[in-house]
Structures are given as structure tokens and as C-alpha cells.
Amino acid sequence: MNHPKITEHHHSRLAYVYLRQSTPGQVLHHQESTERQYALREKAEELGWNEAAIRTLDRDLGKSGAQMAGREDFKTLVADVSMGQVGAVLALEASRLSRSDLDWHRLLELCALTKTLVIDEDGCYDPSDFNDGLLLGLKGTMAQAELHFLRTRLLGGKLNKAKKGELRFPLAVGFRYEEQGRTILDPDEEVRGAVALVFRLFRETGSAFAVVQRFSERGLRFPKRAYGGAWDGKLIWGRLTHSRVLAILNNPSYAGMYVFGRFQYCVQINPQGEVRKHMQAVAMPDWRVRLSNHHEGYITEEEFFANLERLHKNCTHGEGTVLSGPAREGLALLQGLLLCSRCGHALTVRYTGNGGIVPQYLCNWLHREALATKDCMSFRCDALDPVITEEAFKALQPAELELALGALRELEVRDQAMMRQWQMRVERAEYEAALAERRYEEVDPSNRLVAGTLEHRWNEALLRVEDLKKQAAEFQQQKARVMTPEQKEKVLALARDLPRLWHAPSTQAKDRKRMLRLLIKDITVEKSAAPKQLLVHIRWQGGACSECTVQLPLNMPDRVRYPDALVERVRELAQSLPDNEIAAQLHRDGHSSAKGRPYTKKIIQWIRWRYRIPPAPLKNAEELTVQQVANQFGVSIWVVYYWIEHGIITTARRLKDGMPYWITLKPVDEEKLRDWVRSSSRIPNVSQT
């Protein structure tokens, strides 16, 4: 076949036959189109290209033509055309080459520069010719418009069906479609029990991670329904993960709602310049369809929105909310409940002292943001926690017994639900064992290879049943040990004395925090005008508010500082008593020092020095000291002591041993001592020494 536009120049180059279909499903089910595209190779031979000069590019089968990314053969085609190695490009139609105007016109521009022909079922085109180039451009535009029309029709039909709640898509685990197409709860009781247990545990713990921990601790499994492939429609039981719990809690279908448009594709350009699509979540107000009470759910809509709010509060890696979410480990009972009255932000917890074991509440937002020169407030947890605990006890006192009975009923229901999950798991294993037995009995005994395999599967199923029964029995015994009638009576007894239950060693700090969160919504802390005092405003869950004042412990200098009353008592006693007698008197009065020790003479001396308290005036005005007497008679002090010891001076007195002498001299005594000095032959020597 000769064509006027095909010359020897084109025959000297390769002819490329390009094949493409948009999806793997089209490749699998629309094989006629594939055969027509492969038949273009024969058309190239008819147009004059020999078999060796024809190259088939079919690696793009099953890939969309909306962009170049991912289409390796199209990239090869464009590169070889730009190198001038291609004489003609054969495709079934323009849409096979590209659905993108950008890629299509780029290819046409390269074909025009390198004199490459474009051949489809309608004819042969030379892009370097104006009329042919215009026609090819229109074909590319029509191919892109066709894609838009198809997409619009499909999305419009889906949206119209979704508005009626009839659009079917893969359901979340726990739901099935019935014969009439309505959404119903899964008829498998074990599946329903597992889903319901997730919501029950989240209500108890308030944390998705805690739900995963409970499932792991009790050896429970969670189902997953496979879609597509060899496992299409079958249940796969496995370990519950944190991402699965979050997906369940965020899925509105569990609240009986029908939703369309929760996710949508977003187009972005990656660093390599390629256009990529990825799925992203859509905000709830932007959902295209939301039908309430569409089908029976596992929870109510109110509980669904409450769960979303709880998950939002649990998030701590972003800006988050003012108050944190679930109760966590740690000694600070009010973690996540305290608000600063100055800046409105939540007080955080810091662990200091003794290797970080002393918790304290701190608000440093203004300081951290350079809006203040110091922290708003900081104080130790043990100064506020007991006060709030006492307030909670007062609020709970009328309903202690009722709460305990409710807690017991809740524990029993939860344990029964978990035990029922184990029972259904055993029942499923027994069914699988019975099914394996029937298959073994129905096989032809002469077919030993098949019979041996089926017998092995039957034995494995029986062993699995025995293992599950043993695990279920252990779980039941464990629960029986926990909730015996005697222990139920103990729980009721503890309920009548809630403080004893609160301070019991078996009660964890995390449980105490949960109890407080059931009662208290938040607590605003305000610094009082008085030093070392806090004003606490409690907002209870029911909306009521109460206030109390908390006296903070003094700083260490203030603790060891002696009170004014004690200083005045020392001042009073110092007027008539020496320091050691003052200490003895304070001890008899029941006083102790700032460090809890008995008062001593040195402590009294320090107090008198610190507060400038003069000692007691114990010496009379007419009395003389030993030194004064020695100076008066020109002798040494030792001569005076000799006079006192030998009774020469009879008017010397002292309060007790070790204290100085005070001497009263009358004129007769003075004359007597002068005569003694004049008559003594040793006095000059003594006076000289």
C-alpha cells in the first residue's frame, strides 16, 4: 500500500506501534481492543515497513493516559522521536497516545521537528503540515474532553445514587449487604461482639491505645474482611492494631450514618516535577452526602461525635486543645485539668528533685513566648492534690454505694462480653474441625495423597480446638478469681469508705485520675493577694462551680525562720534568765527549734544576736567584778580568787558554777583588804607578775 505522505525518508526509520489501555480490568476483559491495537503492526507492514523495522511498545497496558508519570513506553517514544529515530507512530486513536493536552502537543511538536508521521485508523498525518497539525490538535483536545465527559457522567451517577443511600462500596467490618442491598449488622455474632467490645473499652479507657492493650492482654482477636483476590469476602482474624481502632472510631457508619465523600483525590507536583494523586480526608462539613439513621449502628450519633472529640483531645503532637486528653501514668492527679487564670493555658507537669520523682505544676507559657520575665505560677502537686481529693470525696459521699454497685455491674458485663468472645472463637474452631472431618470422610480412600492431606488438616483443627479451650478455661478461671463473692463484698465495703479505696495500694494513679475526670471538668488556679496562697475554682461535670483556698508550704528560709511570738518570748525571758535557763524554759513549755530539735544555749544566743536582744541584767549596780576589785587594790585577779576561796571576801556571789563572781564591798571590807595587802610580803611580787 502506497501513501503520498509516506516517503523513503520515513521508511528508513523505525515505525513504533504504541499500545495502551487505562486499567488492568480493561486489559483483562476488553481483549478485542487489545487485539485491534496489536493489529496495527500488520498495518505498518502494509504501509511499507519491514518486520524488523517495526517496534511494539506495550508496557503501558493497564495505565492511565492522563499524565506521563508511570508510562515508561511513552517516555521511550518521546525520547526516540526527539532523537529522530522514528519515522511513524501508529496508535488506534489519539486518546491511546495521551489524554493530556500538554503531553499530546509536546509529542506533536517533536514529530513536526523530526518529520515523524502519526498514523491512526482514520488516516496518516504529518504534524509539520499546518492542516494535519490542526486536525491532530483537535483530536487531542477531543480526547481530553471525552475523558472529562466520562468522569462527569460517572461521578454524577454515583453522587445521585449516593444521595439516595443506594451506592454500594466496601463496608466496614461488622456490616454486610443483604440480598435487597440494604446494610445490616454482620450475622456473625463473634464479629459483632468484637466490634462492640472496641466501643465499650474506649468508653471505659478513653484512649485508642488502651483498647489495643486490653485486646492484647486478654488474647482477643479482631476480624478483617478481604476484598478482591482469592480471599474475596472472607474473614481474616488477627491482632488489633492502633490504626484499626482509630479507623473504627472515626468511621460514621458505626453510628448508623451513610456517608459519601469522606476522602478525595488531591493532585500535587512532586519534587521531580511529576503530577501525583493521593487520597486525603475531607472535613465533615464538606462531605457531599450524610444520611442519618440509614442503617442499624453499634453506637449512637451522639456517642460518635463524643468519641471524635475525645480523640481530638488525646492528640498531643499538634497545637492541640487547652486541656490534654486521657489520664496518663504519673503521680500528678490533676494532670490535664488545671488552667492558669493569668494566661488561660493549661498547667503542665514537671518532675524535679531526687532524680525527678517530685512532681510540680507549672505554667510558663508567657515566659516561654517572651511575653513575661517569669513563670505565671509553679507549686508542688502534693499541695493541691489532697485538697481537690477531699472536695471530690465530699461530692461523692451521698452516692458512694450506688456508684460501687454500678461499677460491679459494669465489670460483670464487660467480663461476660469478653468470655462470650472466647466461646464464639471456640465454636468457630469446632466448626472448622467438623468441616475438616466431613471433607476427610467424603474423600475416596484409594486417593491416599489427598486423604493424607485432609487427615493432617483434620488433626491440626482438633489440636487448635483443644488449645483454644485451654486458653478459654484459663481466662475464665482468672476472671473467677478476680470477681469472687467475697471480693464483691469487699468492694461494697470499700465503697462505704471511699477514702480507703482511694488510698488502697491496688488503686493505681491512673485510675484515680479517671475518677476525678468523671467528676471535674476543669480547675482554674489563681494566685491570691496573700503570700503563699492559691484561689482554686472548680468546675464540676454537671456545670456547678465551687471555690476553695489552698495554703502553699513555706520556702525553706521561711520554714527555719523563728516566728515573732517565739522571739518575743525569748525577749521576755532574757530580762531575768540567762541563755541556758531560757532554753530549758522553752523546752518545758513544749517548744522546739525550726528543725524540730530542743533549744540549746547556742540557739538562744543566735536568736538574741539576730534580733538584738540584750542579755539579762543579773549584776546589781553596787556589785563589782573580779577584775574591778583587782584594779582597785592593785593586785592580780588570782589574788581576788584567793580571797574568795579562803573566805577573806565573804560577800562574793555567782548564780552557778562557771559563771563570774559579783562582789559587794563595804567600807569595813575595803579597810580589811588594804591592811592585808600592806602586811603581805608577797603582794608586790604578785602585783609585778
Side-chain angles (χ1 to χ4, degrees), residues 67 69-70 75 266-270 272 274-278:
Q67 58 186 7
K75 294 179 181 178
C266 178
V267 180
Q268 289 184 341
I269 300 177
N270 62 13
Q272 290 74 31
E274 299 176 345
V275 179
R276 293 289 186 182
K277 289 184 178 180
H278 70 277

Side-chain angles (χ1 to χ4, degrees), residues 469-534:
K469 286 183 177 179
K470 185 183 298 184
Q471 294 181 22
E474 292 177 356
F475 179 79
Q476 188 172 13
Q477 290 178 1
Q478 179 183 2
K479 289 304 168 187
R481 288 195 303 267
V482 173
M483 296 304 297
T484 59
E486 294 79 7
Q487 291 180 335
K488 290 181 181 180
E489 185 62 31
K490 289 182 179 179
V491 171
L492 293 177
L494 285 173
R496 301 183 184 96
D497 187 7
L498 187 58
R500 189 154 57 97
L501 173 62
W502 180 273
H503 298 293
S506 58
T507 306
Q508 299 180 359
K510 195 172 183 178
D511 298 327
R512 297 188 183 99
K513 295 180 183 181
R514 289 173 181 165
M515 285 189 271
L516 286 178
R517 287 166 183 268
L518 293 175
L519 298 172
I520 300 174
K521 191 168 186 179
D522 57 54
I523 302 171
T524 302
V525 183
E526 179 184 357
K527 274 190 173 181
S528 174
K532 293 298 178 181
Q533 199 174 77
L534 292 177

Side-chain angles (χ1 to χ4, degrees), residues 342-412:
R342 181 182 179 188
C343 64
H345 285 76
L347 273 70
T348 57
V349 180
R350 296 290 187 273
Y351 288 87
T352 61
N354 296 328
I357 62 172
V358 179
Q360 67 174 4
Y361 298 119
L362 169 69
C363 179
N364 62 347
W365 185 84
L366 292 176
H367 191 190
R368 188 176 67 247
E369 298 294 328
L371 300 176
T373 58
K374 61 180 182 179
D375 300 335
C376 295
M377 63 182 69
S378 65
F379 51 90
R380 288 183 50 154
C381 297
D382 53 9
L384 182 59
D385 289 354
V387 177
I388 301 300
T389 301
E390 188 64 28
E391 293 292 325
F393 288 162
K394 293 178 183 177
L396 277 178
Q397 195 170 6
E400 289 176 358
L401 189 58
E402 182 180 352
L403 288 172
L405 293 174
L408 281 176
R409 288 192 295 267
E410 184 67 21
L411 288 174
E412 290 176 352

Side-chain angles (χ1 to χ4, degrees), residues 55-221:
R55 183 177 177 184
T56 302
L57 305 178
D58 57 0
R59 289 187 299 170
D60 290 348
L61 286 172
K63 297 181 180 179
S64 173
Q67 58 186 7
M68 186 184 293
R71 293 198 292 155
E72 300 301 326
D73 271 354
F74 186 76
K75 294 179 181 178
T76 302
L77 174 63
V78 173
D80 291 350
V81 168
S82 64
M83 297 291 292
Q85 300 176 3
V86 182
V89 178
L90 287 84
L92 192 63
E93 56 189 24
S95 64
R96 301 299 176 183
L97 283 169
S98 178
R99 291 279 191 179
S100 170
D101 271 349
L102 178 62
D103 297 338
W104 175 246
H105 286 92
R106 182 185 301 164
L107 176 61
L108 292 183
E109 185 178 0
L110 293 174
C111 290
L113 293 175
T114 58
K115 305 297 182 180
T116 303
L117 301 177
V118 177
I119 302 173
D120 61 10
E121 281 195 329
D122 296 331
C124 179
Y125 309 94
D126 183 2
S128 61
D129 182 74
F130 173 77
N131 294 323
D132 288 357
L134 179 61
L135 184 57
L136 288 173
L138 289 174
K139 283 194 171 188
T141 303
M142 291 177 62
Q144 188 176 26
E146 181 186 10
L147 185 65
H148 170 74
F149 295 146
L150 290 174
R151 184 184 298 109
T152 302
R153 291 169 187 168
L154 291 173
L155 291 179
K158 290 175 64 176
L159 182 59
N160 184 61
K161 202 168 185 178
K163 288 180 179 179
K164 297 183 293 183
E166 298 176 357
L167 181 64
R168 295 180 62 168
F169 41 77
L171 293 174
V173 63
F175 294 102
R176 295 293 298 273
Y177 284 118
E178 63 173 5
E179 296 179 357
Q180 290 77 17
R182 294 184 302 175
T183 303
I184 60 173
L185 299 182
D186 198 307
D188 193 325
E189 187 177 356
E190 186 179 6
V191 175
R192 297 199 309 271
V195 175
L197 188 58
V198 170
F199 290 105
R200 176 187 295 274
L201 293 177
F202 186 75
R203 284 194 296 269
E204 294 179 5
T205 62
S207 169
F209 185 72
V211 175
V212 178
Q213 284 183 317
R214 292 287 183 88
F215 265 74
S216 178
E217 290 170 357
R218 289 160 176 78
L220 300 177
R221 304 180 305 166

